[in-house]
Amino acid sequence: MPFSPAHPRDATVFASQVSKAGVRRLWLGESIVLDPFQALSYAAAASIDISFGIGVALTPLRTPLAAAMQARTLAIASQKEVMVGFGPGSPGFQDAVLGSPYRRPRAVTSTYVDAVREVLTGEPSTAWHPTGLRARMHLPDLPTPSIRLGMGVLRPPMAHSAGSAADVAITWLAPAEYLRREIVPVVNAGAAESHRAIPRKIAIVPTALRRSGVSGTDVVMGSCGRHLALEHYASMLRLADIKTDPSSPEASARALIAGGAFIYGSPDEVAHKISSYFEAGIDEVVLNLTGVCVTSGYRSVLQDLTSILDALKC
């Protein structure tokens, strides 16, 4: 969803439109405008034939019990598989919500996922919440579609943790070659070492078609400009051989396009670059058209999406 809905009906309308276009799953990121679980549950209750994903929910905002209840509500409302990714957010965000940043954000995320799973299934774990509260309860049994628990992944250490603890590894703003080289093998290794099934790997990819009168740099900044100011994203991009410059947003935007972190071009060019993610070992690509929405509006999002799906022959 390329915008934060201001009313649940906004999510419902968009879900209906992309469902008709042939999209299999609609994803919504964390938001402090409307709670993403509640917004999508409202859309799901409208009997729209699409599944939903949350990528990623931020752990400081809800206890594992609340996260499990929200995920199950969405699964029951939609009667389809739900994917929910979790991540710690930036140290500044952790400090703003909790009063201090996590000491070990990677460990917190792994144990948080364990705690949510325990609440959902009743399977014993040693999971704990950052407040020190253990997840010592589980939800009453209800017929519920599959809920896959994921972790947001930027760099190899979190990729290893995702392999060890999660059902899904979710990336954002990461080029296909970087994922092939640095992330996919580490997720697989983490799963093998923990004797777990290999998690599904999902890439959320900022995307736009070239459009007359709108510069590529403006679209990039509309999509992910705020991420470029955060060190954990800049660090990941450096590992991917993409150097951003905080003093030059336009240069950073050009670097994202050149390095493949932002997919931009004609429908055929975009489709070819998206295909490279599957070749890199990614199981599901999520098209993020936020930059198009910001620079050209809602109708342009639907036009670009239709053109990209046609080029992909979806």
Side-chain angles (χ1 to χ4, degrees):
M1 189 170 295
F3 57 91
S4 293
H7 190 282
R9 64 173 168 263
D10 299 333
T12 303
V13 170
F14 189 74
S16 177
Q17 289 172 326
V18 297
S19 174
K20 292 174 183 176
V23 171
R24 288 177 43 206
R25 195 186 323 270
L26 177 62
W27 288 78
L28 179 59
E30 187 63 85
S31 173
I32 56 172
V33 179
L34 291 183
D35 180 88
F37 291 92
Q38 293 189 45
L40 292 185
S41 293
Y42 184 98
S47 300
I48 296 168
D49 188 21
I50 195 170
S51 60
F52 296 98
I54 304 286
V56 295
L58 299 182
T59 59
L61 291 179
R62 49 186 70 82
T63 66
L65 174 61
M69 292 175 64
Q70 290 176 321
R72 191 170 75 163
T73 298
L74 179 55
I76 291 173
S78 67
Q79 283 300 296
K80 294 184 182 296
E81 175 190 76
V82 165
M83 291 190 179
V84 182
F86 297 102
S90 68
F93 180 80
Q94 298 157 20
D95 183 63
V97 176
L98 302 173
S100 61
Y102 294 139
R103 287 186 183 180
R104 300 170 62 204
R106 182 162 61 95
V108 165
T109 307
S110 294
T111 51
Y112 185 100
V113 169
D114 281 342
V116 174
R117 182 177 289 110
E118 181 177 14
V119 173
L120 286 169
T121 66
E123 296 176 6
S125 78
T126 58
W128 49 272
H129 184 256
T131 61
L133 296 174
R134 290 182 179 275
R136 288 179 174 164
M137 64 178 296
H138 64 275
L139 299 179
D141 290 335
L142 281 176
T144 305
S146 171
I147 299 172
R148 296 198 184 207
L149 303 179
M151 291 171 57
V153 170
L154 290 179
R155 290 168 289 188
M158 189 67 93
H160 191 275
S161 294
S164 300
D167 308 316
V168 185
I170 303 171
T171 69
W172 155 247
L173 201 59
E177 174 56 26
Y178 168 73
L179 296 179
R180 183 197 66 76
R181 185 182 72 237
E182 301 288 348
I183 299 300
V184 170
V186 179
V187 172
N188 294 348
E193 290 170 20
S194 299
H195 306 287
R196 300 182 67 253
I198 293 175
R200 285 182 62 82
K201 302 168 196 73
I202 296 177
I204 302 177
V205 181
T207 308
L209 296 184
R210 190 179 295 111
R211 177 173 275 104
S212 176
V214 181
S215 72
T217 55
D218 284 346
V219 179
V220 173
M221 295 307 296
S223 175
C224 43
R226 63 188 178 88
H227 295 90
L228 299 179
L230 299 173
E231 174 54 30
H232 55 302
Y233 284 102
S235 173
M236 180 271 288
L237 291 168
R238 286 195 295 272
L239 288 175
D241 300 321
I242 298 175
K243 294 182 179 179
T244 57
D245 182 356
S247 67
S248 179
E250 286 198 0
S252 295
R254 289 193 295 269
L256 290 187
I257 294 173
F262 191 103
I263 295 184
Y264 181 72
S266 69
D268 286 340
E269 289 170 334
V270 167
H272 176 73
K273 292 173 184 175
I274 289 170
S275 296
S276 69
Y277 280 83
F278 297 113
E279 295 166 3
I282 296 300
D283 299 299
E284 181 174 335
V285 172
V286 182
L287 303 177
N288 185 311
L289 294 149
T290 298
V292 178
C293 195
V294 169
T295 57
S296 300
Y298 180 84
R299 291 185 181 276
S300 295
V301 169
L302 297 175
Q303 291 169 359
D304 277 17
L305 179 61
T306 300
S307 296
I308 292 168
L309 292 177
D310 286 345
L312 286 166
K313 297 179 174 57
C314 292

